Amino acid sequence: MTAARPVPVPDALTADYWSAAARHVLALARCTRCDRFALPPGETCRRCGTSTPEFRYEPVSGRGTVRSWTVIRKASLLGFADQVPYLLVDVELVEERGLRMIGRLLNGPKTVVRIGDPVQVAFEDLPDDLAVPAFELSCDEPRTATEHVGAVAPRHPSAPVTGIHTSSAPAHVVDSGRKHAEMTSSERHRASNLGSAGTTEVVP
């Protein structure tokens, strides 16, 4: 019997995020003190440090650019064995500099991805009226190839090294202080909530 894919579990802080995602809307928390987005929101605002951020959720365009990506070829957690390989992209959203999230690229694992490629949010529908944000390329030209995707794109000089942040989050976010290759088992477990756990090939 194949294990079921883990699904998001909304809580008081993330319920509005998941409710919007179920309607195929990307809505992010904005701090009412500094007016900047928080992805994910926490008990304090990471931008201004206030302990009373009183976050409000606002719809955003879902447009952004690729900063990095990785191909998952071997599932390390139950529920993903029938979904590999798949491709994850680290995206900076257009709404705010440094506003970044990680999601699946729905174009497929053989898609040729380049630093700076434009993407648009899309959604994976799950049981129980849930949906998970993902991305699709916005490029006009088709890009598919049979060669290994993760080794073809050089790192852009302006793109900082990235890693996956592990706090309880409504979506994947990136912390600029670490490399993808340094992901711990707990980080991969956190990533599994949105379908991104496994053995990876990394573009730093």
Side-chain angles (χ1 to χ4, degrees), residues 12-96:
L13 192 58
T14 63
D16 288 346
Y17 175 90
W18 291 116
S19 176
R23 303 190 306 272
H24 288 197
V25 173
L26 182 62
L28 303 183
R30 188 192 285 271
C31 175
T32 59
R33 306 302 182 189
C34 66
D35 208 38
R36 300 187 70 182
F37 288 108
L39 182 60
E43 297 302 320
T44 62
C45 175
R46 295 179 183 172
R47 302 289 192 168
C48 67
T50 180
S51 59
T52 56
E54 298 181 8
F55 291 115
R56 64 182 185 274
Y57 279 85
E58 296 183 1
V60 296
S61 69
R63 294 182 293 109
T65 55
V66 173
R67 300 184 66 262
S68 183
W69 67 93
T70 181
V71 179
I72 309 299
R73 297 198 177 276
K74 183 178 180 181
S76 62
L77 295 176
L78 295 177
F80 296 96
D82 62 346
Q83 302 195 30
V84 293
Y86 55 87
L87 196 155
L88 299 177
V89 283
D90 166 8
V91 173
E92 181 170 273
L93 300 175
V94 299
E95 276 73 20
E96 190 174 285

